[in-house]
Structures are given as structure tokens and as C-alpha cells.
Amino acid sequence: MPEHSIFSALILGLIEGLTEFIPVSSTAHILLAGHFLGFESKGKTFEIIIQLGAILAILTVYFQRLWSILIALPSDPKARRFVLLILLAFLPAAVIGFLAHDFIKNVLFDTPKLICVMLIVGGIILYAIDRMPLKPRYHDMMDYTPALALKIGLFQCLAMIPGTSRSGATIAGSLLMGTDKRSAAEFSFFLAIPTMLGATVLDLYKNRDVLDFNDASLIAVGFIAAFVSALLVVRSLLAFVSSRGFAPFAIWRIVVGTVGLIGLTVFG
């Protein structure tokens, strides 16, 4: 197997894990990095599977909490209510993602300049929201209302435009609707579990005729890299946003989007 392919798989796996749960758009980073590295996988098998590494990371970090919620479901109304909140927030993306899957994957994902523009636009919006003198009404995601959860889910649908960022859309929407930064990020973590699992399963099904697992070593390298790097991010992000906010991520988006546009103009 070519050495440069293993290196590319490692880089892309690290990028997936580092960017999946922060508001910078992992999809944009993966697509742009893959474009400039010249990395392609048949049926996007590599890109689909390594997302499972990021999902496994969040399941690992929150295993005890998820397990406690699961065993409390029969007897604890608060646990049942929280599961309902996640399902309500997941519902809009599940419906729209299923109906518009082919358009999203075959049209929007093949437009690198759109991705760069959305990185920049999203960065400007996120920076503006982060600097607004908002007064949060919700400090614990367990206290979110069903209506709030559904609205957050609608914001998440904006991430179907590559470059927008799933976590960025949900966090920005949450902040505008009265949540604090920490609970907004944490709710985004939990919402990522059904959203990413659903998207991965749908991608695998839609690409079932062209999936290629011959490059199993590349997939394994990317999967492990995504898991390890996502583990570090999930364990540190809440403390970071509590003290620093989201402005650093907004600036990063603008820089990457600008560099990406320059690179596409110069190198194609």
C-alpha cells in the first residue's frame, strides 16, 4: 500500500476526530484536505467509516451517563424526558436528510468553493453570536423544553450545506434561544450520537453497491486516528468553551475558508 496513502489516511482521521464536535465543520475540513491531498475512496467508504471512530469516542466518554439514563428509563420521568428531547432534536435532520440525501451528497458535497464560502460565512455568524450580550435562561440541558429541542434540531438541518458545521449550527441556534455555552455544547454532543449514527447507516445503505473495503488498512488507520483525536476533544471542549467561548473556532473557520479559496484559485 502506498506510503503517502497511509499518511493521508492518518491526517484525515486526525482531522475528523479533531473537528467533528467543534463548530468548524468536519465535513468541510475532510473534503478540502482530501481534495488537496488527492485522496479518494470508492463510494466514500473511508470517509463514512472513520466517522464511527468519532462516535465511539463520545460513547466512551459519556458511557456511564448514557448507561445511567438507560437503566433509569422505566422509573425516572426526567430520564424519559431527556431521551424525548434528543429524539425531537434529531427528527428534522432524520426526515430532511433521508429525503434530500442524494442532492446533498452528489451536488453540494462536490462544490469546494461553496464549502469555503460557508466556512467564512458561518465563522462570521458564530463570532457575532459569541460576542452578543445574551442572557442565558437554560444552564442545564436536562431542563431544555421539547419546543427548544425541536428548534435546535431545525438549526441542525442547516449543516446539510457542507461547510456549515453540525455542531456550529446547533450551538449557534441554542445560544440564540437562551442556553448557556456549556450546556449548548453538551447537548450538541448527545445529539451527535443519533444524528451521526443515522447519517452513517444511511450513507452505507445508499452506497452499498459501490462500497470498497479493499483498503481496510487505510480505514483502520483513519478510524483509530479519529477515535483518539475525538476522545481528546470531547474530554476538553466543555471546559474550553466555558472559559474561552466560541470566538477562536469562528476565527479558525474564517482563516481555513479564506486559505481554501486561495488554494482552489491557485491550484484548482
Side-chain angles (χ1 to χ4, degrees):
M1 182 170 297
E3 194 172 305
H4 69 84
S5 295
I6 294 178
F7 174 76
S8 298
L10 176 63
I11 294 299
L12 292 173
L14 289 172
I15 290 173
E16 165 63 27
L18 290 172
T19 59
E20 183 60 56
F21 301 111
I22 62 176
V24 299
S25 180
S26 62
T27 299
H29 283 72
I30 289 291
L31 291 176
L32 288 175
H35 176 82
F36 289 117
L37 288 170
F39 185 93
E40 294 183 10
S41 65
K42 191 175 181 181
K44 298 294 183 183
T45 310
F46 176 86
E47 292 85 349
I48 295 169
I49 297 298
I50 65 170
Q51 290 184 82
L52 295 174
I55 298 172
L56 181 59
I58 201 165
L59 290 174
T60 300
V61 172
Y62 282 101
F63 176 77
Q64 288 187 333
R65 191 164 182 182
L66 288 167
W67 180 251
S68 66
I69 291 172
L70 180 63
I71 61 176
L73 280 176
S75 59
D76 187 354
K78 193 170 185 179
R80 291 195 296 269
R81 184 174 178 278
F82 178 68
V83 172
L84 174 63
L85 294 178
I86 296 298
L87 291 177
L88 282 172
F90 169 61
L91 183 61
V95 174
I96 297 175
F98 178 78
L99 295 176
H101 178 272
D102 292 343
F103 174 76
I104 294 167
K105 292 294 182 179
N106 298 329
V107 178
L108 297 182
F109 274 51
D110 285 333
T111 315
K113 287 187 178 179
L114 171 64
I115 294 170
C116 292
V117 170
M118 291 308 299
L119 277 172
I120 296 169
V121 172
I124 294 171
I125 293 172
L126 185 61
Y127 188 87
I129 292 174
D130 188 71
R131 288 294 180 259
M132 287 181 181
L134 300 172
K135 295 182 179 179
R137 303 189 304 276
Y138 303 96
H139 300 274
D140 186 340
M141 65 176 182
M142 301 294 284
D143 295 329
Y144 285 9
T145 65
L148 174 59
L150 184 59
K151 291 174 185 176
I152 293 172
L154 291 172
F155 269 95
Q156 180 175 238
C157 293
L158 295 173
M160 293 177 188
I161 304 172
T164 303
S165 169
R166 186 204 61 79
S167 60
T170 57
I171 288 169
S174 299
L175 295 177
L176 288 173
M177 290 183 290
T179 74
D180 71 344
K181 294 174 181 178
R182 184 182 181 91
S183 70
E186 192 169 31
F187 190 79
S188 178
F189 283 165
F190 281 89
L191 181 54
I193 297 172
T195 302
M196 292 176 63
L197 280 173
T200 301
V201 170
L202 183 59
D203 276 340
L204 289 172
Y205 175 75
K206 290 284 189 177
N207 291 285
R208 64 191 182 281
D209 296 329
V210 294
L211 289 175
D212 184 359
F213 292 94
N214 290 329
D215 291 333
S217 297
L218 290 180
I219 295 172
V221 169
F223 181 94
I224 294 170
F227 170 73
V228 173
S229 54
L231 204 61
L232 296 174
V233 170
V234 173
R235 285 178 170 169
S236 59
L237 182 62
L238 294 182
F240 181 88
V241 299
S242 295
S243 60
R244 302 286 299 277
F246 296 103
F249 302 120
I251 295 169
W252 174 260
R253 290 177 62 104
I254 295 169
V255 170
V256 171
T258 302
V259 171
L261 283 177
I262 294 172
L264 289 171
T265 301
V266 175
F267 302 106

